[in-house]
Amino acid sequence: METTSSLICRIASRYGMEAKALRSYWQWRNYPPGHDGGGARADAEVLLNVAGRQLLACLCGVEEHVLARALPSWGQQDAKLSAGKNGVPAAAWRTGGAVAGPVAFGCRLCAARRTGTVVRVVRYALRWERVCIRHGRWLLDADADQPLEHLDVRGVPEVAAAQRRWTGVARRAVRAGAEPERVFALAYAVVARWWEQALHWERETIWPRRLHQVVGGNAGDKLERWRIVGRDAVIFAEVVAVADALLDPAMAQLVWRDSGAGRPRPLPADGAFCCRLGERVGRGWLGPLAATDYGGPLTSWMGAVIRLRRGAGGPPGYDNDPWWLRQEHQPATMAGQLRVLAAEAQEGGSGTRWRATVSAEPRFHITRLLDDAREELAQLRGVQSGTTAEVARELLERLSQGAELIDRAVLHTAAAAVAAGVALEEVAQWSRLAAEELSQILGRVEG
């Protein structure tokens, strides 16, 4: 499924013309979308009025009904596009993601094989359709401001194998009454969260090896950028494995048992479900890390499974839907992460950008403390029933544990801010502490 803009560029190439010259045949209602730093977006898409579609069909010598099947934007309407005065072909620019879904580059080698011309192709492709099996390429998102169109995955055959495996996983999802897109999205969120944490997993060896392979042998001093560009290709095999596991009724049964079944209890760090999940992604040591990642998409899924078993779910489409993915759990896109990285680089570590001056390890530690505190406080929902002693004990224990985690997060945040060059007096004021007291506390923490 190609973008109409990509097809116009390919037609221009066949005629020996610049794409801009061919586009002059249409009357344009707006300007092409560009990146913040300048430069045209590869995922730019085109909407055409009736006369504009007729012109395109004539130029490429293909009947309109054929183009309608091949171009997802073909029948899209736009308020700026009327039928056109006197049948004038008219067109309007959009971004592909706003028209028909995720946009990626196509494989140039496949395009050359079919058309005899090596040109760039941009197409609509879901995230489980990104491997060119024939040429061993992972096709990258086209909406990001970066020059690469693909990554070489010939040295990591598990990536192509995962794409083949996904077909069966999708069929299983349909049989289970779930939408494959939502199952994939949840598994993707789970594994992308692991990816962010894995930088500090001493026992993780699979992803670093795979990343170095797909980027050409060595990520070198651009590791942070390559971690953004290479993430989706590197984690794809685990995403499919997790999706398969979450659809397995036996895995759901393990969650139920870990929760105490008919005798509710907190999910243990050594629960059978997370241990088994770690084994299914080739990491027998992962279980406790996954089980204690409170507030993430995996624990949300586990909670929904438990509530459904207990018959305690909320209204349809809410927390009792295992495949419901919260907005805050959706992974950042490659384009978004690269924009942040570029902005941080422009600041030059002046201290005005948090991520530019505070390294990944303290940022991760602070986030983990906040997630743990949030999980502790979430346990207080609905506890104010029972004897006075029982309720008071539960409230005070949970509140004390949450307060301790928040206090630790405050100290680690203050330490990171001071180390980044923020004045101690300002940090103390924001922390509601005396500057001298904060200095002594930070000295003890560092010591």
Side-chain angles (χ1 to χ4, degrees):
M1 292 292 188
E2 190 174 4
T3 66
T4 303
S5 175
S6 174
L7 177 60
I8 292 174
C9 291
R10 289 201 299 113
I11 294 170
S13 177
R14 295 289 290 184
Y15 281 113
M17 301 172 61
E18 293 289 336
K20 184 176 181 180
L22 182 62
R23 287 197 293 262
S24 66
Y25 284 63
W26 287 269
Q27 187 177 92
W28 294 88
R29 306 300 192 190
N30 57 355
Y31 294 99
H35 292 292
D36 294 341
R41 290 180 57 137
D43 68 330
E45 179 58 298
V46 171
L47 301 182
L48 304 172
N49 68 353
V50 174
R53 292 195 291 269
Q54 291 172 348
L55 173 60
L56 182 59
C58 179
L59 286 171
C60 61
V62 178
E63 295 182 5
E64 288 191 48
H65 72 274
V66 176
L67 290 175
R69 291 197 301 268
L71 304 174
S73 71
W74 186 260
Q76 299 267 355
Q77 302 297 321
D78 188 273
K80 293 183 178 181
L81 295 175
S82 62
K85 294 181 179 180
N86 301 319
V88 175
W93 288 103
R94 293 290 180 268
T95 57
V99 173
V103 181
F105 293 104
C107 176
R108 288 193 183 224
L109 297 179
C110 287
R113 183 171 175 267
R114 288 193 296 267
T115 67
T117 306
V118 180
V119 293
R120 187 178 76 178
V121 177
V122 183
R123 66 191 187 97
Y124 293 97
L126 296 169
R127 211 161 294 279
W128 57 80
E129 301 172 332
R130 297 300 178 87
V131 183
C132 171
I133 303 293
R134 179 185 295 275
H135 299 110
R137 292 180 167 186
W138 176 272
L139 304 169
L140 292 167
D141 292 343
D143 62 344
D145 188 7
Q146 61 87 34
L148 295 178
E149 296 182 14
H150 71 272
L151 298 174
D152 188 345
V153 294
R154 288 175 296 177
V156 281
E158 60 268 32
V159 178
Q163 182 160 296
R164 296 189 187 96
R165 182 183 180 188
W166 169 253
T167 303
V169 176
R171 285 198 295 266
R172 176 182 288 185
V174 172
R175 289 196 298 269
E179 299 174 27
E181 295 85 354
R182 299 182 69 206
V183 174
F184 186 91
L186 181 64
Y188 178 52
V190 170
V191 182
R193 187 176 174 96
W194 290 348
W195 173 255
E196 294 304 317
Q197 300 167 357
L199 199 59
H200 310 288
W201 289 349
E202 294 181 0
R203 301 180 68 178
E204 177 55 48
T205 60
I206 298 173
W207 282 343
R209 172 189 57 80
R210 202 181 288 165
L211 178 63
H212 288 304
Q213 285 183 301
V214 302
V215 303
N218 191 342
D221 59 355
K222 296 183 178 179
L223 177 62
E224 187 167 5
R225 183 179 184 83
W226 280 123
R227 276 180 54 81
I228 294 171
V229 176
R231 178 193 64 182
D232 289 357
V234 172
I235 69 173
F236 182 59
E238 285 75 16
V239 172
V240 175
V242 169
D244 191 31
L246 298 185
L247 287 166
D248 188 345
M251 295 293 284
Q253 182 63 23
L254 291 180
V255 174
W256 178 239
R257 291 177 184 173
D258 287 342
S259 72
R263 305 182 65 179
R265 66 181 182 186
L267 291 169
D270 60 348
F273 167 77
C274 285
C275 288
R276 180 66 185 126
L277 184 62
E279 293 170 359
R280 291 182 70 150
V281 295
R283 295 162 176 82
W285 46 267
L286 180 59
L289 294 175
T292 55
D293 182 23
Y294 304 118
L298 183 61
T299 52
S300 293
W301 179 87
M302 296 164 68
V305 169
I306 294 167
R307 285 189 292 274
L308 284 173
R309 291 289 186 99
R310 290 178 181 162
Y318 192 55
D319 279 2
N320 61 323
D321 180 359
W323 311 113
W324 179 60
L325 182 61
R326 298 177 182 176
Q327 181 69 32
E328 62 268 24
H329 290 161
Q330 294 181 8
T333 64
M334 178 176 71
Q337 292 181 88
L338 288 177
R339 283 195 296 270
V340 171
L341 191 64
E344 291 170 352
Q346 283 187 328
E347 296 295 345
S350 66
T352 58
R353 304 283 300 191
W354 176 261
R355 283 172 56 93
T357 52
V358 179
S359 63
E361 184 173 358
R363 294 201 316 265
F364 170 73
H365 195 53
I366 292 167
T367 300
R368 188 65 177 270
L369 287 169
L370 294 175
D371 286 343
D372 289 350
R374 187 182 299 110
E375 182 67 19
E376 283 291 338
L377 297 178
Q379 301 296 324
L380 295 176
R381 294 174 182 170
V383 301
Q384 297 192 56
S385 61
T387 68
T388 302
E390 290 173 342
V391 172
R393 178 181 61 80
E394 182 71 14
L395 282 171
L396 291 173
E397 286 183 351
R398 293 286 185 185
L399 288 170
S400 297
Q401 291 169 3
E404 180 184 354
L405 292 166
I406 291 173
D407 286 343
R408 289 168 57 192
V410 168
L411 293 180
H412 282 281
T413 303
V418 171
V422 182
L424 177 67
E425 292 73 16
E426 289 185 309
V427 175
Q429 180 181 356
W430 300 331
S431 306
R432 298 185 179 181
L433 294 170
E436 182 178 351
E437 180 184 2
L438 178 60
S439 179
Q440 293 175 352
I441 293 173
L442 295 181
R444 290 197 297 270
V445 170
E446 294 173 358

